[in-house]
Amino acid sequence: MPNLLAEGGRQLLLGNEAISRGLIEAGAGFASTYPGTPSSEVGNILEKISGEAGLYFEFSTNEKVAMEVSAAAASSGVRSFVFMKHVGLNVAADPMMTLAYAGVKGGMLIMSADDPSCHSSQNEQDNRYYSTLALIPMVEPSTPQEAKDMVKVAYEISEKLELPVLFRTTTRVNHARGVVEFGSKAVPKIKGHFDKDVSRFVNIPAYAKNNRTRLLDLNAKAQQLSEESPLNFIEGSGDVGIITSGVSYTYVREFISDASILKLGFTNPLPEKKIADFIKGKKFVIVAEELEPFLEDQVFRICAQNNLSVPVYGKRSGHLPRAWEYSPDTLKGIRELVKVTDFTQPLPAVTVKLPSRPPTLCAGCPHRGMFAAAKKAAGNSDVIYCSDIGCYTLGVQPPFQAADFIICMGGGAGAAGGFAQSTEQTAIAFMGDSTFFHAGIPPIINALFNNHKEVIVVLDNRTTAMTGHQPNPGTGRDFGGITTEPIDILSLVKGVGVKFAKEVDPYDVKAATQVMKEAIAFDGLAVVISKCPCPLELKKQKQLVIRECTVDQDKCTKCYNCVRSIACPALIKKDGIITMDPTQCIGCGMCANVCPVDAIEVRK
Amino acid sequence: MKYTVQIVGVGGQGVLLASMVLGNAAMNIGYKVAMSEVHGMAQRGGSVLSTLRFGDDVISPLEAAGSADLIMGFEPAETCRNLPLANRDSVILMNLDPVLPSMVAAGFEEYPDIEDLKKAVSDVNPNLFVIDATKIAIEAGKAVAANAVMIGAVAAIKGFPIPKDKLLEALIEQVPEKFRDLNVKAFEMGYNSL
C-alpha cells in the first residue's frame, strides 16, 4: 500500500490513490460517496486514512444523500468532495441541478467516474453532458499525476465561481497507475458556518428565476477562466490539429507524431476563443474523445460562429468510434489523416477451443444457496426474476439463470411490482443489503401501498461486496472515530407493515426452499431476507472458519444435484466423478445440504 | 527505450501484485511508468489483464494489440486467450498450472490439453518459456508465492530491461514482512528454473 500521507517524494499510484492524495494536498474537509466501480477505491482509502488525515468521510446511503451532505458542507465554507460512478450521478442529479442555482461557499467537487466499455457497469453513458445540463464547470484529467494536481486547481475554480465543479474521470484514469510527484499537505478546514441567504439557498420560484440568470452570468465568467486556464494547452506545431481530452490525450500524444495538439483539461465551458484560434489556418482538425461527440459538436459550432471553414474529422465523419473505450489501436481509424505509429502485426487468435471464464460467484457464496432455493421453490412455474446491481447480478449465468431483468439500483423490486400487475407471471426480485438501503425501501413500500403480489428477496451478506466490501447501514460504521449500530432489515420491513417477512439461512438450502415456497404462495407482498455474511469479508476480518467438505464416493449416486443446483467452483466433475477442490472449498455445506443421499460430509 | 509487459491470469492469482512489483522496480531505476489494471466485477474468478509500460517517454496506460514485448502468463488458457497482444518477436512466459473456470469444474465445458496449448503458442512464436510456477511455489513453501516465482523467471529473461536485484528489491518492498523469506526463496527458484 502506498503511503498517501507522506510529506513528499514520489510514488507509483493508482488514479484513485492520486485523487485521494489530491484531497489531502487541497485540504478537503468533507467527503462522501456511495461506492461504485471505477470510483470505489477512493472510499476504501478514505475509510482507512480520513481519521489520521483529519477530514470527515462517510459512506452515504446512496449518491443522492452523498451529494446533499457534501453540498451542505460546501455551503458552510468547508471544501467537500462527493464521488460516485457515472450511473450514481443519475441518482444524485436531482440535488445537483438546483445546487448549481444556489452555488456553494467552500469549494465542492463532484467526481463522476465514467466507465467506457462497461467494464463494471450496466451502461456507458457520457456524463460530460451533466456539466452542460447543470451549467457547472468541468475538468477532466488524463493521467494519475494530473488527477492529483487537478483536484487543487478544481477547488480554486469552484471557489472563484462559488459553483460546484464536475471532476470527470474514466476507468482508464481511475485504474491507471503512474508515477506521481507529491506536493505539500494542507491542513483541512473541517468546520465552517452556514451564513443564511434565502435568495440563494431557497429556490422558490421567485428566487430560482433570478438564480437561473445568475448561473448563466457565472458561466460567462467560467468561460473566461477556461480561456486563461493552464489546463488547456497546445503542444507541437503543424497545419494539422488534434483536439483531445481525458485518457484519449495519452494515446494521441504517444502514438501520433505530426500534429499540433490542443489538450483540454477544463472542458466546460470550453475555451472557445482558444479553440477558434487553434483551428484558424489549419488544413483540418481531428477531435479525439471517447464516447459521445461532446467536444466535436461544440467544435463544429465554434467553427460556424467564427466563420471557419476548416474540415473537422472524428465521430461525425466516421473516422473514430462512438462506442467503447479508446486504445492506441483506435487511432488506426485516422491513419489516412495523420502519422500514426506502425503497430506490429499481432499474432492470430489460437485455434484451440478455450473455455470461457466469465466472472462468477465465489466458492461458498451464500447467494448460490438462495438462488438454488428460489429456483427449486418456483419449479416449472413461469417466473420473472428481477435482479439488481451487485454480486448477485452474476446469477444471470447458468445454472441459476436467476436474472431476467436488471436496470439499476433498487430497480428489480420496483419492476417486480409492475410485472406482478401487468402480467400473469410470478415476480421475484433479488437485491443486496446495501441496495436495500440505497433504493430498495421505496419499492417495498410501493408494493405494500399498491398491493403488488411479489416476492422480494434481500440477499443480506453483511457488506457491500461487489465494490470491495464497504460498510453499509445494515452493518453499522466503525471508522474515523465514529461508531454506529447496524440497522436491522427485518425490523424495518416489519415496521412498514409487511405481513410476510422472514429471515432464512441460505446455507440451509432445504429450509430456504420451504420459505420461498410459502412466499410465492402468499397472497400479497412477501419479503425473504437471506442472511449470511460474505465469506470474502469474513476472510478479510480473519473471522472465516474453514471447514472441509469431502465426497464419499461409495455413497455418491452421480445424480449431480450438487453441481446442477449450487455449481460451486470448489465442486469438480471430472470423468463423471464429483470431487472437492480443497484449495477453494470453505466447508459451507451448501452442497451437502442439497445432496439427496448424504454423500457429502462437512468436517471441522 | 519503451517496454510493454502484458500480465494475464485469473482474479486471485496475484496479477496486480506482480504488476506493482515490476512497476515499482521500473520507477526506482528512473523510468517513466504507465499502467492499467482491471478492478471490480471481473475480479470474481474472471480473466484479468494488467498492462505495464515503462521507458524514457511513455504516457499511454494501454498498448496496441501485437505490441507487447513480454506476455507474463499466470495461467495457460489465459496466456493463449491473450496471444493477439503479442507478435512473433515477443517473449511469452507461460505458467503451465491451470486454474479451472467454474464451467469446466462443473463439467459443462472442457479444459484443453496443456500440450495443445503449448503447441498453439510455439507454432506461432519461437520465444516461449514455460514454467510450473505453482508447483515451484508449493516447493518453496506456499502456492500463493507463484507470483514471486513468475517475477523471478522474468528476471532471468535475456534482454529484460530491469536488472534482477532491482526486481527482488521491489518484491521485498511489496510483500508483508512475515512472507519475505518465502517470496525471496520463490523468486530465486523461479529465476533458476528458466
Side-chain angles (χ1 to χ4, degrees), chain A residues 31-323:
Chain A
S32 54
T33 190
Y34 182 82
T37 312
S39 77
S40 310
E41 292 81 8
V42 180
N44 291 31
I45 292 162
L46 294 182
E47 179 185 354
K48 281 198 198 89
I49 70 170
S50 57
E52 194 184 336
L55 68 97
Y56 173 80
F57 168 65
E58 71 173 43
F59 290 108
S60 305
T61 192
N62 64 30
E63 293 88 351
K64 180 176 178 290
V65 178
M67 180 75 74
E68 291 153 353
V69 292
S70 267
S75 301
S76 309
V78 173
R79 281 189 169 184
S80 72
F81 187 70
V82 59
F83 55 103
M84 59 201 75
K85 68 182 293 167
H86 60 333
V87 287
L89 196 51
N90 299 333
V91 179
D94 197 2
M96 179 177 71
M97 294 303 294
T98 305
L99 176 64
Y101 278 42
V104 291
K105 292 290 177 75
M108 175 174 177
L109 307 189
I110 301 166
M111 180 168 90
S112 168
D114 293 12
D115 191 18
S117 280
C118 310
H119 292 281
S120 300
S121 307
Q122 62 268 42
N123 75 32
E124 60 168 18
Q125 68 184 51
D126 188 336
N127 276 9
R128 292 179 298 171
Y129 289 106
Y130 269 123
S131 71
T132 50
L133 184 67
L135 294 168
I136 57 173
M138 170 168 64
V139 297
E140 286 181 76
S142 301
T143 63
Q145 177 78 55
E146 268 193 16
K148 191 215 72 169
D149 296 341
M150 244 185 225
V151 170
K152 207 169 167 183
V153 180
Y155 273 119
E156 286 160 10
I157 295 167
S158 173
E159 281 168 3
K160 263 185 205 150
L161 298 164
E162 297 200 354
L163 283 178
V165 169
L166 187 63
F167 191 92
R168 194 263 190 172
T169 57
T170 57
T171 302
R172 298 296 178 186
V173 174
N174 298 100
H175 291 165
R177 205 179 269 282
V179 180
V180 176
E181 296 282 348
F182 283 22
S184 52
K185 294 194 282 186
V187 177
K189 172 184 169 183
I190 53 165
K191 292 282 182 195
H193 183 266
F194 179 69
D195 300 327
K196 296 181 186 184
D197 180 353
V198 288
S199 68
R200 266 183 66 179
F201 294 108
V202 183
N203 275 285
I204 54 171
Y207 296 137
K209 224 174 134 183
N210 291 334
N211 281 332
R212 159 88 174 138
T213 53
R214 201 182 72 91
L215 182 54
L216 289 170
D217 290 344
L218 284 173
N219 269 254
K221 233 172 138 182
Q223 208 210 305
Q224 204 45 49
L225 291 182
S226 179
E227 295 287 359
E228 296 155 7
S229 172
L231 300 183
N232 301 323
F233 57 86
I234 295 166
E235 284 179 328
S237 56
D239 57 1
V240 172
I242 301 181
I243 299 173
T244 186
S245 72
V247 73
S248 306
Y249 162 73
T250 69
Y251 310 139
V252 168
R253 168 72 206 283
E254 202 177 323
F255 300 104
I256 293 177
S257 50
D258 63 342
S260 174
I261 303 169
L262 171 56
K263 196 279 202 198
L264 299 174
F266 193 149
T267 47
N268 189 56
L270 286 177
E272 299 194 6
K273 190 174 173 300
K274 190 174 250 175
I275 291 173
D277 289 345
F278 176 75
I279 296 172
K280 230 168 267 169
K282 291 278 187 294
K283 205 160 71 184
F284 58 83
V285 166
I286 299 166
V287 183
E289 59 185 321
E290 286 178 321
L291 302 180
E292 304 305 328
F294 175 84
L295 299 174
E296 188 177 331
D297 285 356
Q298 295 191 71
V299 166
F300 276 118
R301 193 222 345 127
I302 292 164
C303 285
Q305 280 188 310
N306 290 277
N307 293 316
L308 296 169
S309 58
V310 174
V312 176
Y313 300 121
K315 296 170 201 288
R316 296 290 178 194
S317 64
H319 287 90
L320 291 169
R322 202 159 152 174

Side-chain angles (χ1 to χ4, degrees), chain A residues 421-450:
Chain A
Q421 206 59 42
S422 61
T423 70
E424 297 294 336
Q425 294 159 288
T426 301
I428 298 179
F430 294 105
M431 68 166 95
D433 46 337
S434 196
T435 306
F436 172 85
F437 292 105
H438 177 287
I441 301 170
I444 290 176
I445 293 175
N446 187 63
L448 263 185
F449 176 43
N450 293 299

Side-chain angles (χ1 to χ4, degrees), chain A residues 394-415:
Chain A
L394 300 172
V396 68
Q397 290 158 13
F400 308 116
Q401 293 165 306
D404 301 312
F405 192 83
I406 296 179
I407 43 176
C408 66
M409 291 288 290

